[in-house]
């Protein structure tokens, strides 16, 4: 009991522990890797309806609610949005367990869009309740808890399906119980005193003044004015100006714009592959007649992706010179993996292609976040994260409307993956060309510097040097995933 009280009084341990516990349980979803087999099996929904009708609704809903939720996250100071996420996770699996009509399952897509849109509150909360010197440690703990929960949930689901012969329905009820635990934990999170942009007015000590006015039998409104709320119009206008300044700072650098462009383009394609890969697996080996290893594959992919992301901190590369070229090279690897998934009839090759694709994306998105984060303040980084996510989701919505939705092309799953492979190939070509231009420009200037015997320090003063080129540093840990459930 004394240990608990001591931890609660700590300025960062208590919220970090609670948020890590919430992240573990909220991401521990044994039923998630088996969503498609559950919908096309026990729920008796056709593959075409799942592919071309249900899953696109999630994408459209996510885009519709992302901006309002992003603004409310800071305005309401994070915790209410985390509690809301926990509540929608509970209702999500209640619907999965007991809903039978197509209308209820349609609402289910909107319900989960609320879950994914509130992830920004989870990632931003920790920075509003702990001192800056603890950011790196707390972020590492929170991200590790999320990854552990995701891996444990996928592994548990696979064990239940393969060895305990558990039905999909009962796996979903187990997941519902775990989500209920996550919701209860969210209620115990301490409430931040202020957000990053919408802040309370500075409180003024009015004790002596109140004593004087009490003695005179009068009243004053100064106390009320001094402790005014953080959401009056003047403060909102000030916060809007601060957000605008942060926005200009975030996108004032050409290099940061290029990193953000890759983030948005690649995340849109990754989201489509991640959301529809279960349908591809079910196409190659139907879950009704074959053993399903989705949970095991997702667990392995999570670990491989985490290892790839972790390796970024130990790689010595002049990212300002070679970064764009590496974005192009690894995007080409991703494109090849997507083409492999779309063309192969071997489920194990498809699994392998997905693992490599996911590891490549995790590696590059970690580098991208790292490059942006080390050059911006936390406020700018949070805003950049939100804007890049919105742009990525807009592109993903366009892909969904054109490629997936029945109102447009309504392509089958194999053709979809060929389109996604071509999409990633386009990204690869763009950044390979840009990367080659940057490298050639750097080499030419280095040669000119050598020929004119100018000191290297003068070259750096003229063209700038990046903090990230000084050696390996710890990458940021708030890597996000989108999923259709």
């Amino acid at each position: 009991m004394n240990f608990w009280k001591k931890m609660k009084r700590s300025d960062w341990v208590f919220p970090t522990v609670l948020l890590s516990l919430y992240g573990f349980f909220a991401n521990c979803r044994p039923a998630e890797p088996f969503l498609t087999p559950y919908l096309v099996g026990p729920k008796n929904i056709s593959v075409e309806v799942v592919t071309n009708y249900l899953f696109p609704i999630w994408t459209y809903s996510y885009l519709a609610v992302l901006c309002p939720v992003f603004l409310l996250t800071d305005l309401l100071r994070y915790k209410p949005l985390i509690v809301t996420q926990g509540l929608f996770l509970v209702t999500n699996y209640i619907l999965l367990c007991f809903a039978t009509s197509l209308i209820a399952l349609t609402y289910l897509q909107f319900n989960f869009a609320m879950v994914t849109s509130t992830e920004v509150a989870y990632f931003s909360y920790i920075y509003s309740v702990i001192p800056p010197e603890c950011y790196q440690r707390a972020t590492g703990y929170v991200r590790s808890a999320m990854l552990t929960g995701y891996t444990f949930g996928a592994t548990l689901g696979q064990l239940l399906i393969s060895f305990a012969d558990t039905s999909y329905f009962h796996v979903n009820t187990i997941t519902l119980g775990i989500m209920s635990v996550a919701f209860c934990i969210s209620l115990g999170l301490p409430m931040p005193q202020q957000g990053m942009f919408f802040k309370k007015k500075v409180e003024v000590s009015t004790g002596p003044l109140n004593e004087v006015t009490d003695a005179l039998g009068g009243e004053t409104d100064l106390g009320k004015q001094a402790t005014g709320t953080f959401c009056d119009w003047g403060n909102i206008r000030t916060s809007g100006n601060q957000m605008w300044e942060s926005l200009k700072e975030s996108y004032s650098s050409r290099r940061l714009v290029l990193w953000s462009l890759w983030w948005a383009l690649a995340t849109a394609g990754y989201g489509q592959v991640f959301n529809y890969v279960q349908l591809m697996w079910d196409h190659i080996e139907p879950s009704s007649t074959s053993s399903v290893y989705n949970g095991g594959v997702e667990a392995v992919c999570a670990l491989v992706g985490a290892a790839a992301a972790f390796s970024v901190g130990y790689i010595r590369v002049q990212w300002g010179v070679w970064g764009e070229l590496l974005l192009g090279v690894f995007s080409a690897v991703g494109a090849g993996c997507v083409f492999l998934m779309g063309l192969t009839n071997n489920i194990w090759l498809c699994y392998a292609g997905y693992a490599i694709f996911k590891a490549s994306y995790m590696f590059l998105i970690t580098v991208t976040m790292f490059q942006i984060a080390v050059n911006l303040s936390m406020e700018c980084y949070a805003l950049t994260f939100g804007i890049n996510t919105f742009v990525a989701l807009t592109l993903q919505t366009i892909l969904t409307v054109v490629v997936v939705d029945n109102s447009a092309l309504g392509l089958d799953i194999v053709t979809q993956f060929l389109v996604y492979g071509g999409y990633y190939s386009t990204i690869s070509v763009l950044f390979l060309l840009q990367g080659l231009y940057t490298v050639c420009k750097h080499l030419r200037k280095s040669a000119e510097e050598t020929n004119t015997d100018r000191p290297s320090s003068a070259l750096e003063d003229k063209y700038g040097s990046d903090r990230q080129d000084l050696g390996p540093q710890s990458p940021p840990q708030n890597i996000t995933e989108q999923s259709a459930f």
Side-chain angles (χ1 to χ4, degrees):
M1 190 68 178
N2 291 333
F3 170 77
W4 181 257
K5 289 181 179 178
K6 182 179 179 181
M7 185 175 67
K8 195 168 184 177
R9 288 195 299 267
S10 171
D11 57 352
W12 75 280
V13 175
F14 179 70
T16 302
V17 168
L18 275 186
L19 196 67
S20 297
L21 286 173
Y22 173 79
F24 175 86
F25 284 102
N27 287 274
C28 183
R29 307 172 196 169
E32 183 172 299
F34 305 96
L35 173 65
T36 296
Y38 181 57
L39 292 177
V40 302
K43 291 296 183 182
N44 197 28
I45 302 175
S46 68
V47 173
E48 290 75 16
V49 172
V50 173
T51 306
N52 305 120
Y53 173 71
L54 281 180
F55 282 3
I57 291 175
W58 169 81
T59 305
Y60 305 151
S61 302
Y62 188 12
L63 179 64
V65 301
L66 179 62
C67 279
V69 168
F70 178 75
L71 295 176
L72 286 174
T73 294
D74 198 72
L75 185 66
L76 299 180
R77 291 179 288 163
Y78 311 107
K79 178 181 175 178
L81 274 298
I82 297 176
V83 173
T84 300
Q85 183 187 58
L87 179 62
F88 274 98
L89 277 170
V90 172
T91 58
N92 189 73
Y93 283 93
I94 290 176
L95 289 170
L96 273 174
C97 288
F98 304 109
T100 56
S101 67
L102 187 59
I103 294 177
L105 293 175
T106 300
Y107 171 75
L108 177 66
Q109 309 302 312
F110 173 79
N111 186 89
F112 198 75
M114 289 297 299
V115 172
T116 50
S117 65
T118 50
E119 285 179 354
V120 65
Y122 178 84
F123 290 121
S124 303
Y125 170 87
I126 198 67
Y127 305 113
S128 64
V129 295
I130 66 171
E133 61 268 19
C134 300
Y135 280 180
Q136 183 172 346
R137 292 175 64 188
T139 303
Y141 295 149
V142 169
R143 176 59 190 168
S144 297
M146 291 180 62
L147 176 64
T148 303
Y150 184 84
T151 305
F152 180 81
T155 304
L156 177 61
Q158 189 64 62
L159 292 175
L160 290 172
I161 296 293
S162 298
F163 297 102
D165 198 25
T166 308
S167 67
Y168 292 132
F169 171 79
H170 287 104
V171 174
N172 275 276
T173 57
I174 292 171
T175 307
L176 172 59
I178 296 173
M179 296 305 102
S180 301
V181 173
F183 172 68
C184 292
I185 293 174
S186 71
L187 297 174
L189 289 168
M191 187 73 174
Q193 295 301 310
Q194 62 185 22
M196 288 184 180
F197 295 106
F198 296 97
K199 301 181 179 182
K200 286 185 177 181
K201 291 182 179 179
V202 178
E203 295 190 4
V204 179
S205 177
T206 59
L209 179 61
N210 289 337
E211 292 176 4
V212 174
T213 54
D214 289 342
L216 296 175
E219 295 181 356
T220 179
D221 291 331
L222 182 58
K224 295 179 183 179
Q225 294 172 3
T227 57
T229 61
F230 61 91
C231 56
D232 58 80
W233 285 112
N235 197 31
I236 290 178
R237 185 166 54 251
T238 301
S239 302
N241 292 334
Q242 182 185 355
M243 293 177 71
W244 175 246
E245 293 300 322
S246 298
L247 179 63
K248 290 194 294 184
E249 179 183 342
S250 299
Y251 296 100
S252 60
S253 167
R254 172 180 167 275
R255 183 173 299 162
L256 290 183
V257 170
L258 285 172
W259 287 105
S260 295
L261 177 63
W262 183 89
W263 178 337
L265 290 172
T267 299
Y270 171 80
Q272 289 298 94
V273 173
F274 187 84
N275 288 346
Y276 294 92
V277 71
Q278 289 187 33
L279 289 161
M280 175 58 72
W281 294 339
D282 200 78
H283 169 78
I284 296 174
E285 286 199 5
S287 56
S288 58
T289 59
S290 307
S291 299
V292 177
Y293 299 100
N294 297 7
V297 172
E298 288 290 1
V300 171
C301 288
L303 293 177
V304 173
F310 183 76
S311 68
V312 173
Y314 298 90
I315 296 177
R316 290 182 177 272
V317 174
Q318 284 185 300
W319 295 109
V321 178
W322 300 98
E324 295 157 10
L325 188 62
L326 288 176
L327 288 177
V329 171
F330 279 93
S331 296
V333 172
C337 291
V338 176
F339 278 126
L340 174 64
M341 286 186 276
L343 295 173
T344 186
N345 290 320
N346 187 306
I347 190 62
W348 295 105
L349 282 177
C350 189
Y351 285 155
Y354 177 66
I356 297 172
F357 170 77
K358 190 168 186 176
S360 299
Y361 173 79
M362 287 296 178
F363 175 81
L364 290 180
I365 198 66
T366 303
V367 173
T368 302
M369 288 181 169
F370 177 48
Q371 295 303 299
I372 292 175
V374 297
N375 289 284
L376 296 174
S377 64
M378 182 53 63
E379 290 86 351
C380 294
Y381 177 62
L383 186 62
T384 304
F385 171 82
I387 292 175
N388 289 350
T389 301
F390 177 77
V391 174
L393 187 56
T394 302
L395 293 172
Q396 187 176 346
T397 302
I398 294 173
L399 282 173
T400 301
V401 170
V402 175
V403 177
V404 183
D405 201 302
N406 275 328
S407 60
L409 297 179
L411 300 177
D412 62 88
I413 192 63
V414 173
T415 310
Q416 283 185 40
F417 269 68
L418 296 180
V419 171
Y420 302 149
Y423 174 83
Y424 254 91
S425 298
T426 303
I427 297 174
S428 173
V429 171
L430 289 175
F431 280 88
L432 281 173
L433 293 176
Q434 177 61 41
L436 288 172
Y437 171 77
T438 301
V439 170
C440 291
K441 183 179 179 181
H442 172 77
L443 294 177
R444 185 178 67 251
K445 289 181 178 179
S446 297
E448 291 175 356
E449 180 267 339
T450 302
N451 292 334
T452 57
D453 292 324
R454 276 186 283 175
S456 59
S457 59
L459 183 67
E460 289 182 352
D461 289 339
K462 182 176 181 180
Y463 297 109
S465 60
D466 297 318
R467 283 181 285 167
Q468 61 267 30
D469 294 342
L470 298 178
Q473 301 180 45
S474 298
Q477 300 296 320
N478 52 339
I479 303 171
T480 60
E481 275 190 359
Q482 296 179 6
S483 71
F485 281 92

